[in-house]
Amino acid sequence: MALAFGSVIFYVFATGLWLVVSDRSLIDALVSGFMYTLLYWLLAMFQLRNVRKTKRRLDEQGQFKAFLRYPDSRPGSLSGIWNQGVATPDAGLIRFQPAVYDSLEPSGRATDFKVQTVLPDRRKIAREERKYLPAYGYLAVTLLTDGGKVEIAASPDSLDKLIEVVASGPA
């Protein structure tokens, strides 16, 4: 839906820009606007395909894309920065593998968190908290672990899976 709406807005903008900036006729501006909109649409479709393929690959392995931060750490460290990675929930613990790029290439070593409690409240991430969190529609939950408080942001269905799997094991 967002892609269709964005395409229409882009088409109107591109056509208007061609009419204002160049000496083209209305037909030339409409055709140029359509061609640029088609290019925009194709690039967006490739991006969507890659996101779906990555999600399917993670789902097959019981993993999901997540962002993690440590809210009680010192200011300027990882207290305000969301670290992208792949979360693998298991009974009573979570393994978080930092990753880069949209293909989620691993970077660094994985960290295991023994989860004592998953706080039940989910919250939207405020605008001032969004450092390095490009994904909209993600919610955050707070985990009390053996190493302290950790916040994890993911899609609502991934958080459901996380809570279900982590709560099934020893606390």
Side-chain angles (χ1 to χ4, degrees):
M1 188 66 162
L3 181 61
F5 181 71
S7 297
V8 169
I9 296 297
F10 189 82
Y11 179 70
V12 169
F13 176 75
T15 303
L17 186 66
W18 282 115
L19 282 172
V20 171
V21 173
S22 68
D23 293 336
R24 295 182 181 205
S25 68
L26 178 62
I27 300 294
D28 286 342
L30 289 172
V31 169
S32 295
F34 177 76
M35 295 306 285
Y36 278 97
T37 302
L38 183 62
L39 178 65
Y40 162 79
W41 189 81
L42 287 173
L43 291 173
M45 290 305 294
F46 282 121
Q47 179 65 20
L48 279 174
R49 188 190 74 184
N50 287 338
V51 166
R52 287 181 181 151
K53 188 182 345 179
T54 301
K55 184 176 179 348
R56 188 172 35 252
R57 176 177 54 95
L58 292 175
D59 285 344
E60 288 172 358
Q61 298 173 1
Q63 301 172 324
F64 59 90
K65 180 179 181 179
F67 294 86
L68 185 110
R69 75 175 186 165
Y70 306 95
D72 292 338
S73 60
R74 294 181 184 174
S77 61
L78 290 177
S79 65
I81 298 174
W82 293 94
N83 193 12
Q84 175 179 270
V86 175
T88 308
D90 201 358
L93 65 94
I94 295 174
R95 171 167 280 183
F96 182 79
Q97 172 67 54
V100 294
Y101 310 120
D102 288 337
S103 61
L104 299 175
E105 294 295 323
S107 71
R109 63 170 203 220
T111 305
D112 291 334
F113 297 100
K114 291 182 183 174
V115 179
Q116 298 167 347
T117 307
V118 179
L119 298 181
D121 55 330
R122 295 181 187 190
R123 64 181 182 81
K124 283 187 168 183
I125 293 113
R127 183 181 346 172
E128 57 274 358
E129 293 181 295
R130 293 192 67 82
K131 283 187 184 172
Y132 304 106
L133 184 68
Y136 288 95
Y138 277 24
L139 299 175
V141 295
T142 303
L143 309 172
L144 301 178
T145 68
D146 57 345
K149 189 188 297 186
V150 174
E151 287 185 335
I152 190 163
S155 65
D157 59 329
S158 296
L159 291 178
D160 289 340
K161 181 168 66 171
L162 167 85
I163 292 169
E164 177 185 325
V165 172
V166 169
S168 69

